[in-house]
Amino acid sequence: MRSPAWTEDELVLAGALVVKNGWRELRTGDREVQELSELLRSLPLHSLEARALPEFRSPDSVSRKTSDFATNYKPYTGKRTRCGEATLRMIKAFTQRGAEMLQAAEAIEEGIGSGELQLLPQQPGEVDDDGFTAVEGRLLVRRALTRERDPKLRRLKIQQVRDRGEPLSCEVCGFLFSRVYGGVGEGYIEVHHVTPLHIAGTRKTGLNDLACLCANCHRMCHRSRPGESWRTPDALREEMRKAAQHRAH
């Protein structure tokens, strides 16, 4: 059995290590590499059989991955190591939005350290049908989906909308379940975190942090593309505007 390919979560943590080191590789004996090796071996992303392999995310393998990041960073002028597309996407993400990716790494580390992420069950939708997960990492998507499916939070958000005298419609496309499905759709809507949890931080989720969405728009807000993950309802609305404009021409 061979060690499994690196996941987005693992690449986020390795990339953060390299960025904090000035985009330079780290050696096997470095304390940071030793600590990251231990952390990666604890992540609930691979089978117990894989995690028991001596070479699985060993300090040597972690050091080699930092070399991939450092030598494939665009300003690097020496010989580049060969690495996979996922690593190249992660390098691009750290290059274009470094502060946000460092926040994602910190959120993963905090979630593992607190034990929260190990306890979360796998969620439908944390991996897209085409196999992509959010560039920030599958564990953060899992945490976001778990919170969004909290029935108490959903009930409170629906009550807030009703207290305002507003229809329970999708904030992106205006879809109203009760109008289309009658009684079976009455009172139904899905909730979505407007700002990803790793950016919002560990503070308690407020109702104004949530948006009411139909199932389609909710999925599109979460849908990943290579090098891109979450999008806000406003961003999705802009995507729809552009698509409509394109159809008109």
Side-chain angles (χ1 to χ4, degrees), residues 131-147:
F132 283 115
T133 58
V135 72
E136 288 86 0
R138 178 176 179 176
L139 294 177
L140 297 185
V141 175
R142 183 180 299 180
R143 185 173 71 172
L145 290 172
T146 300
R147 293 196 188 182

Side-chain angles (χ1 to χ4, degrees), residues 6 10-30 32-34 36-37 40 57-73 76 79-83 87 91:
W6 286 61
E10 296 169 313
L11 291 172
V12 167
L13 295 172
L17 200 62
V18 175
V19 172
K20 291 176 183 177
N21 197 43
W23 281 100
R24 297 187 301 271
E25 65 181 318
L26 291 95
R27 301 299 184 184
T28 300
D30 288 340
E32 296 90 341
V33 168
Q34 301 279 338
L36 181 55
S37 172
L40 295 180
R57 305 306 181 253
S58 65
D60 279 345
S61 70
V62 172
S63 176
R64 286 195 299 272
K65 183 52 67 178
T66 69
S67 296
D68 288 341
F69 271 89
T71 63
N72 285 278
Y73 180 51
Y76 183 77
K79 184 177 180 181
R80 302 181 187 275
T81 63
R82 295 180 62 184
C83 65
T87 301
I91 292 171

